[in-house]
Amino acid sequence: MLTTKKTIRFIVLVMLSVMAAACTSSVTDGVVPSQEGTLCLHVQAENDYLSIETRVSQPLADLTGYTLTLNGQTTEGETVTNQTITLDANNTAKLKAGTYTLTASNQTAATEGTGCPWHEGTSAQFTIAAGGSANVTLDLGAPKNTELKIVLADAFTSSYETLNLTFTDGNRVLSVTTAYTLYLMPGSIPYTLTADAKQGTYIQDASLTGTLILTAGTTQTLTLSVQPITGLIRIDTGNEYGGEFE
């Protein structure tokens, strides 16, 4: 009877050992751990819209809204094209051993709603060995879109009301009814403006169309004012500057 108990105990221990070995050598997402390496990402970005002369890089720890894509080739010869990867809380990720570049971009987030500063950058080529790690630095650089500040001068608000200022930015159509800040793609941006003349001003309702020329990485201000005597709306975009993004 004692022999039987020992035999059963031995069999259980063997089964537990086999299960533990199976867990250790398990395949995650089709990759055997011995074929993996660790990506350790360090990101620098410029959060401000600054002139080139005063541009200073600063750490960007929060990658919320960014898409990380991998391009390159594994050591087994598999081509990797625009593979989306996810980082853990320590900005690391397990990858197949190979040679790659990594791109980070928040362009999608920057073109949703009224937008946000758009940053994008690609790392230098790096190699991850099986069981090893690679420290990768990625500089997202200056913003690639334009921060547009819309200002209503007192002369405008005292003469007009019910403003509707609409910008067409690719597939986005953005309407503004008051002073506001938008983030738009650089280049030619068509706009339309309508506003009702206030009672007692003896001026006509306004209806205008035009095109803005926006420069990447800059803050530009569009000021709505009114010409003296005539009451015509004046649109001033002359104060383009490398201002600080607040």
Side-chain angles (χ1 to χ4, degrees):
M1 191 69 166
L2 182 61
T3 304
T4 303
K5 287 183 178 179
K6 286 184 177 179
T7 302
I8 293 174
R9 184 180 179 187
F10 175 76
I11 294 173
V12 171
L13 289 174
V14 170
M15 291 178 65
L16 290 175
S17 299
V18 171
M19 290 173 65
C23 291
T24 303
S25 61
S26 63
V27 176
T28 303
D29 294 331
V31 182
V32 179
S34 62
Q35 297 175 339
E36 289 182 334
T38 302
L39 165 71
C40 304
L41 181 62
H42 306 274
V43 179
Q44 288 185 328
E46 293 154 340
N47 291 332
D48 295 339
Y49 289 83
L50 300 173
S51 62
I52 294 176
E53 291 77 11
T54 59
R55 188 170 296 158
V56 179
S57 292
Q58 50 189 333
L60 179 72
D62 186 6
L63 289 175
T64 302
Y66 281 81
T67 299
L68 302 176
T69 52
L70 196 68
N71 287 278
Q73 191 172 54
T74 69
T75 54
E76 297 175 343
E78 176 187 353
T79 299
V80 177
T81 304
N82 293 331
Q83 176 185 322
T84 301
I85 68 169
T86 302
L87 301 176
D88 62 19
N90 297 317
N91 276 6
T92 65
K94 291 291 187 180
L95 302 177
K96 285 185 177 181
T99 300
Y100 307 101
T101 59
L102 182 68
T103 298
S105 176
N106 69 334
Q107 184 177 6
T108 299
T111 54
E112 292 178 344
T114 55
C116 65
W118 167 32
H119 291 279
E120 184 172 305
T122 299
S123 71
Q125 190 176 77
F126 60 92
T127 298
I128 295 182
S133 63
N135 291 310
V136 177
T137 299
L138 202 159
D139 190 346
L140 297 179
K144 296 182 179 295
N145 56 357
T146 304
E147 180 182 65
L148 180 65
K149 294 185 175 182
I150 299 163
V151 177
L152 308 183
D154 291 341
F156 180 86
T157 56
S158 62
S159 301
Y160 289 95
E161 59 187 1
T162 321
L163 169 68
N164 187 14
L165 179 58
T166 300
F167 300 92
T168 302
D169 181 17
N171 295 326
R172 287 195 300 168
V173 178
L174 304 174
S175 294
V176 173
T177 58
T178 186
Y180 211 80
T181 298
L182 302 173
Y183 297 89
L184 304 173
M185 292 296 108
S188 300
I189 303 293
Y191 69 85
T192 61
L193 182 154
T194 60
D196 297 333
K198 287 187 173 180
Q199 290 186 352
T201 57
Y202 305 103
I203 57 177
Q204 295 181 343
D205 295 345
S207 180
L208 303 173
T209 60
T211 300
L212 297 179
I213 305 298
L214 302 183
T215 304
T218 63
T219 295
Q220 295 179 227
T221 302
L222 185 152
T223 302
L224 300 182
S225 188
V226 174
Q227 295 180 3
I229 303 176
T230 63
L232 297 176
I233 292 179
R234 184 177 67 197
I235 298 179
D236 180 15
T237 58
N239 56 343
E240 173 186 323
Y241 67 101
E244 182 174 321
F245 167 61
E246 298 177 353

